Amino acid sequence: MVSFFSNSLLFGAFEKEKDVVIRQDWSLKGMPERPTLEPHFERVEEPYQKVCDLLPCLKGAPVDPKAVAFTMTPDCFPLVGPIEGVPRFWLQAGYFDGVTTAGGIGKYVADWIIDGEPPHELFDTDANRYARWADKKFLIARTKESYSMFYNWAYEDRPAGRPTGRVSGVYGSLVRDGAHMAFRTGWEVPASFSLGDEGYMRALMREYQMVTNKCGIVDLSWKGKIEVRGPEASALLSYVFSNEPPPIRHINTALMLTRSGRILAPLKVLHHDQNRSEFILLSDPEREIRDYGWIKSAAKEMNFKVEISPVSEYLASLALIGPNSRSVLAELTKTDVSDKGFPRGSTKLMRLANVPVIAAQSSATGELGYELFHNRADSLKLYQAIMREGAAYGIANFGLATLNALRMEQGFKLWGREITLDTNPYEVGLGNLVDLNKKDFIGKTSAIELSKKKYDRRQVLLQLDATASAERICDVRQVPQGMEVVRREGKEERIGQITSGCFSVKLQRPLCFAWISNDVKDSETLVVDLGNQRIPAQILDKPPAQPKVEGATSASI
């Protein structure tokens, strides 16, 4: 970083990771009012020489070294919002870039306090995102790494501070089987599995073919899970959901809306214990604490008699997906798992290889699938039994990349991409999850008004460049990931933006969700800005794959 003044030049650089100093004494005793910091110019000697190569007149010029201290978080985003468990306390801290965002964030917090809901989707700044899992070792290691990479930012999953304590019971086995792990709010998430040197695209196609033609197993233990139980649990969830919670021994998809009718969260809701009226809500790790706080606040507001607990740390989940998944399940239990005995959208308590499991006949891919909830301590035993019995049915590990491709081919929308706090159910095509005939729920009045509106944008599926193929698409950087600009062919006007993308194995070309202007005709040829290229794109009139099970929802949870 170089800034010019009247007769001098200010040069700043970020030290290498090994040279970054964390003042732990300040965290314990407080930062001095006027701290004295000794500059060590040799730490930035290498970038300084590069500046001199860029501006030769600086060579030999006198240098007045200074040292400053920064406050920052491990991901360089501030901590903003209410603190879970501390009533009426709001935090704004950890601003690495000083006051440059103060005005906007100040208004964001003020609006949130006054209106009772966040005005925009800024989950990256959640003040509670390190709660319950981030220890000092992780915080120090990741902060050093993030500081050292600030002007060389990369979104790949970086290694510092990993793994944390948030690993599933099968983490070691998955790594040994070639898993490439992504990092989400402390959790190690299997993204893909490579055999030998096949590479990302070949691994994706192999996993996809195994899941769609035989069966696959994926670790979903990283999903956020909130338990709600008590005599008024159903009444509470009816109040916070825009549709009714499922009856006993069933699972469905629900939406939580804000009072202004925007989507706070899509959730899978599992009702499995009639005696205690117990529900498990499946969230995403990035918003689990926000969802938990929202439900707790609603329970307190209405004085419902319930117990609400985050249970992600000990309630694990493995999903068995594909046409052979029922056959594998039948090998492991005496319970009737036929289509009649265990239909779509139902749940069963059963034992698999002597492991107690809550099994839900549900998947986020449109394929036949079962999600198996169990105690984290039993994960390895359950996983090994499934792999052993599944060998005869062609079972294989798969990861988040294949899960994403499958859900996009079905046209299922994902929170954080197509669905955010900045959207409402009607503009994203989820109006079927809002029951306006219900007596009351949070956001009902606003939802009625939103249901009558016309919108100037819509979400569509785009397929890119009919000549693309797996041979040409050699890595993930050549597939849109989100935020890329959409234009009409031959025009400069921006008429849309990508929300998420994948390489569709079925289509053998990239597939994307995008917001586009409502005046764009389905027959028009569009282009997507990808690097320095503009790739032709066509709007699809329907998803390329159709659900293989009845009742699949258009929201992928």
PDB file of all heavy atoms in Angstrom, residues 468-481:
ATOM      1  N   ALA A 468     -19.396 -26.230 -24.279  1.00  0.00           N
ATOM      2  CA  ALA A 468     -18.559 -26.576 -23.130  1.00  0.00           C
ATOM      3  C   ALA A 468     -18.618 -28.072 -22.862  1.00  0.00           C
ATOM      4  O   ALA A 468     -19.573 -28.753 -23.188  1.00  0.00           O
ATOM      5  CB  ALA A 468     -19.026 -25.814 -21.895  1.00  0.00           C
ATOM      6  N   SER A 469     -17.573 -28.595 -22.269  1.00  0.00           N
ATOM      7  CA  SER A 469     -17.538 -30.017 -21.920  1.00  0.00           C
ATOM      8  C   SER A 469     -16.592 -30.209 -20.755  1.00  0.00           C
ATOM      9  O   SER A 469     -15.865 -29.297 -20.368  1.00  0.00           O
ATOM     10  CB  SER A 469     -17.041 -30.854 -23.106  1.00  0.00           C
ATOM     11  OG  SER A 469     -15.671 -30.582 -23.351  1.00  0.00           O
ATOM     12  N   ALA A 470     -16.601 -31.399 -20.198  1.00  0.00           N
ATOM     13  CA  ALA A 470     -15.702 -31.691 -19.084  1.00  0.00           C
ATOM     14  C   ALA A 470     -14.245 -31.597 -19.499  1.00  0.00           C
ATOM     15  O   ALA A 470     -13.369 -31.300 -18.693  1.00  0.00           O
ATOM     16  CB  ALA A 470     -16.007 -33.075 -18.519  1.00  0.00           C
ATOM     17  N   GLU A 471     -13.958 -31.871 -20.791  1.00  0.00           N
ATOM     18  CA  GLU A 471     -12.578 -31.760 -21.261  1.00  0.00           C
ATOM     19  C   GLU A 471     -12.129 -30.303 -21.259  1.00  0.00           C
ATOM     20  O   GLU A 471     -10.991 -29.985 -20.953  1.00  0.00           O
ATOM     21  CB  GLU A 471     -12.477 -32.338 -22.675  1.00  0.00           C
ATOM     22  CG  GLU A 471     -12.773 -33.821 -22.759  1.00  0.00           C
ATOM     23  CD  GLU A 471     -11.780 -34.652 -21.960  1.00  0.00           C
ATOM     24  OE1 GLU A 471     -10.624 -34.206 -21.793  1.00  0.00           O
ATOM     25  OE2 GLU A 471     -12.158 -35.731 -21.495  1.00  0.00           O
ATOM     26  N   ARG A 472     -13.062 -29.414 -21.618  1.00  0.00           N
ATOM     27  CA  ARG A 472     -12.722 -27.997 -21.690  1.00  0.00           C
ATOM     28  C   ARG A 472     -12.760 -27.348 -20.307  1.00  0.00           C
ATOM     29  O   ARG A 472     -11.932 -26.526 -19.963  1.00  0.00           O
ATOM     30  CB  ARG A 472     -13.716 -27.291 -22.612  1.00  0.00           C
ATOM     31  CG  ARG A 472     -13.458 -25.804 -22.744  1.00  0.00           C
ATOM     32  CD  ARG A 472     -14.452 -25.183 -23.726  1.00  0.00           C
ATOM     33  NE  ARG A 472     -14.394 -23.741 -23.647  1.00  0.00           N
ATOM     34  CZ  ARG A 472     -15.243 -22.950 -24.265  1.00  0.00           C
ATOM     35  NH1 ARG A 472     -16.200 -23.458 -25.015  1.00  0.00           N
ATOM     36  NH2 ARG A 472     -15.155 -21.645 -24.153  1.00  0.00           N
ATOM     37  N   ILE A 473     -13.762 -27.692 -19.511  1.00  0.00           N
ATOM     38  CA  ILE A 473     -13.873 -27.134 -18.168  1.00  0.00           C
ATOM     39  C   ILE A 473     -12.922 -27.906 -17.266  1.00  0.00           C
ATOM     40  O   ILE A 473     -13.273 -28.936 -16.712  1.00  0.00           O
ATOM     41  CB  ILE A 473     -15.315 -27.240 -17.647  1.00  0.00           C
ATOM     42  CG1 ILE A 473     -16.288 -26.591 -18.619  1.00  0.00           C
ATOM     43  CG2 ILE A 473     -15.454 -26.602 -16.283  1.00  0.00           C
ATOM     44  CD1 ILE A 473     -16.092 -25.112 -18.832  1.00  0.00           C
ATOM     45  N   CYS A 474     -11.731 -27.419 -17.119  1.00  0.00           N
ATOM     46  CA  CYS A 474     -10.689 -28.209 -16.456  1.00  0.00           C
ATOM     47  C   CYS A 474     -10.599 -27.939 -14.963  1.00  0.00           C
ATOM     48  O   CYS A 474     -10.006 -28.727 -14.241  1.00  0.00           O
ATOM     49  CB  CYS A 474      -9.337 -27.964 -17.115  1.00  0.00           C
ATOM     50  SG  CYS A 474      -8.811 -26.237 -17.088  1.00  0.00           S
ATOM     51  N   ASP A 475     -11.162 -26.838 -14.471  1.00  0.00           N
ATOM     52  CA  ASP A 475     -11.145 -26.599 -13.033  1.00  0.00           C
ATOM     53  C   ASP A 475     -12.290 -25.680 -12.650  1.00  0.00           C
ATOM     54  O   ASP A 475     -12.948 -25.078 -13.497  1.00  0.00           O
ATOM     55  CB  ASP A 475      -9.793 -26.053 -12.564  1.00  0.00           C
ATOM     56  CG  ASP A 475      -9.476 -24.689 -13.154  1.00  0.00           C
ATOM     57  OD1 ASP A 475     -10.328 -23.787 -13.037  1.00  0.00           O
ATOM     58  OD2 ASP A 475      -8.382 -24.530 -13.715  1.00  0.00           O
ATOM     59  N   VAL A 476     -12.503 -25.583 -11.340  1.00  0.00           N
ATOM     60  CA  VAL A 476     -13.666 -24.871 -10.822  1.00  0.00           C
ATOM     61  C   VAL A 476     -13.650 -23.388 -11.161  1.00  0.00           C
ATOM     62  O   VAL A 476     -14.696 -22.736 -11.198  1.00  0.00           O
ATOM     63  CB  VAL A 476     -13.758 -25.091  -9.293  1.00  0.00           C
ATOM     64  CG1 VAL A 476     -12.678 -24.319  -8.560  1.00  0.00           C
ATOM     65  CG2 VAL A 476     -15.139 -24.730  -8.771  1.00  0.00           C
ATOM     66  N   ARG A 477     -12.481 -22.825 -11.447  1.00  0.00           N
ATOM     67  CA  ARG A 477     -12.409 -21.396 -11.769  1.00  0.00           C
ATOM     68  C   ARG A 477     -13.083 -21.060 -13.091  1.00  0.00           C
ATOM     69  O   ARG A 477     -13.355 -19.902 -13.379  1.00  0.00           O
ATOM     70  CB  ARG A 477     -10.946 -20.936 -11.797  1.00  0.00           C
ATOM     71  CG  ARG A 477     -10.295 -20.935 -10.421  1.00  0.00           C
ATOM     72  CD  ARG A 477      -8.816 -20.660 -10.514  1.00  0.00           C
ATOM     73  NE  ARG A 477      -8.124 -21.717 -11.235  1.00  0.00           N
ATOM     74  CZ  ARG A 477      -6.816 -21.706 -11.465  1.00  0.00           C
ATOM     75  NH1 ARG A 477      -6.073 -20.705 -11.037  1.00  0.00           N
ATOM     76  NH2 ARG A 477      -6.251 -22.709 -12.115  1.00  0.00           N
ATOM     77  N   GLN A 478     -13.349 -22.055 -13.909  1.00  0.00           N
ATOM     78  CA  GLN A 478     -14.011 -21.820 -15.183  1.00  0.00           C
ATOM     79  C   GLN A 478     -15.524 -22.040 -15.113  1.00  0.00           C
ATOM     80  O   GLN A 478     -16.200 -22.042 -16.130  1.00  0.00           O
ATOM     81  CB  GLN A 478     -13.398 -22.725 -16.259  1.00  0.00           C
ATOM     82  CG  GLN A 478     -11.948 -22.365 -16.570  1.00  0.00           C
ATOM     83  CD  GLN A 478     -11.334 -23.308 -17.568  1.00  0.00           C
ATOM     84  OE1 GLN A 478     -10.981 -24.428 -17.242  1.00  0.00           O
ATOM     85  NE2 GLN A 478     -11.231 -22.855 -18.805  1.00  0.00           N
ATOM     86  N   VAL A 479     -16.019 -22.229 -13.899  1.00  0.00           N
ATOM     87  CA  VAL A 479     -17.458 -22.355 -13.665  1.00  0.00           C
ATOM     88  C   VAL A 479     -17.891 -21.189 -12.789  1.00  0.00           C
ATOM     89  O   VAL A 479     -17.270 -20.920 -11.761  1.00  0.00           O
ATOM     90  CB  VAL A 479     -17.780 -23.693 -12.959  1.00  0.00           C
ATOM     91  CG1 VAL A 479     -19.273 -23.789 -12.643  1.00  0.00           C
ATOM     92  CG2 VAL A 479     -17.332 -24.867 -13.811  1.00  0.00           C
ATOM     93  N   PRO A 480     -18.946 -20.446 -13.159  1.00  0.00           N
ATOM     94  CA  PRO A 480     -19.405 -19.333 -12.313  1.00  0.00           C
ATOM     95  C   PRO A 480     -19.704 -19.795 -10.891  1.00  0.00           C
ATOM     96  O   PRO A 480     -20.306 -20.857 -10.692  1.00  0.00           O
ATOM     97  CB  PRO A 480     -20.677 -18.853 -13.026  1.00  0.00           C
ATOM     98  CG  PRO A 480     -20.492 -19.258 -14.452  1.00  0.00           C
ATOM     99  CD  PRO A 480     -19.740 -20.561 -14.397  1.00  0.00           C
ATOM    100  N   GLN A 481     -19.288 -18.998  -9.921  1.00  0.00           N
ATOM    101  CA  GLN A 481     -19.476 -19.351  -8.516  1.00  0.00           C
ATOM    102  C   GLN A 481     -20.457 -18.426  -7.806  1.00  0.00           C
ATOM    103  O   GLN A 481     -20.952 -18.743  -6.734  1.00  0.00           O
ATOM    104  CB  GLN A 481     -18.122 -19.304  -7.789  1.00  0.00           C
ATOM    105  CG  GLN A 481     -17.100 -20.270  -8.338  1.00  0.00           C
ATOM    106  CD  GLN A 481     -17.540 -21.709  -8.227  1.00  0.00           C
ATOM    107  OE1 GLN A 481     -17.818 -22.206  -7.144  1.00  0.00           O
ATOM    108  NE2 GLN A 481     -17.632 -22.388  -9.365  1.00  0.00           N
TER     109      GLN A 481
END
